[in-house]
């Protein structure tokens, strides 16, 4: 599922952060990624693993590939593997599982009243390499 938030999407503030209501809870399926694209360079992948939501940048820093939402989820260690080159990241921390030099941004995400709320990402300079 792909979601393209705009100014019409409801927002709430908590702890100094803005959260966007991106979809209904039933729309985020177990072990299948949901892509939320704010713009081409600002995308988030949401995953439901063991009844918990996780949100990370959808853009793998290895080759600047916006495909993490299509990656394989390992529910045992709560990781996502990029489908392009196999880089694996923790859904808790965003850290690459075998390198301390690479990570993806982690975002807060929660459910309330049967809706999913995602921390609104701030634009930032993308660091990537070929």
């Amino acid at each position: 599922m792909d979601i393209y938030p705009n100014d019409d999407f409801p927002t709430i503030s908590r702890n100094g952060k803005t959260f966007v209501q991106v979809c209904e809870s039933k729309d985020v399926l177990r072990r299948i990624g949901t892509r939320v694209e704010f713009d081409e360079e600002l995308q988030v992948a949401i995953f439901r693993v063991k009844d918990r939501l996780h949100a990370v940048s959808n853009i793998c820093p290895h080759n600047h590939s916006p495909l993490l939402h299509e990656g394989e989820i390992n529910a045992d260690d709560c990781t996502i593997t990029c489908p392009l080159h196999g880089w694996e990241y923790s859904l808790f921390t965003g850290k690459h599982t075998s390198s301390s030099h690479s990570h993806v941004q982690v975002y807060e995400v929660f459910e309330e009243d049967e809706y999913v709320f995602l921390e609104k990402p701030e634009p930032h300079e993308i660091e990537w390499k070929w």
Side-chain angles (χ1 to χ4, degrees), residues 38-100:
F38 291 89
D39 66 42
E40 187 177 348
E41 297 294 325
L42 201 54
Q43 299 183 28
V44 177
I46 300 175
F47 303 96
R48 183 182 301 280
V49 182
K50 296 183 179 179
D51 294 325
R52 179 175 174 188
L53 294 181
H54 300 271
V56 298
S57 172
N58 188 49
I59 300 174
C60 180
H62 174 232
N63 201 14
H64 199 66
S65 303
L67 297 173
L68 283 181
H69 70 288
E70 296 178 2
E72 183 178 330
I73 299 167
N74 182 328
D76 293 331
D77 61 4
C78 208
T79 58
I80 183 69
T81 301
C82 179
L84 211 62
H85 296 105
W87 283 29
E88 187 177 66
Y89 300 94
S90 166
L91 291 174
F92 290 112
T93 66
K95 292 182 181 178
H96 189 283
T97 58
S98 61
S99 169
S100 61

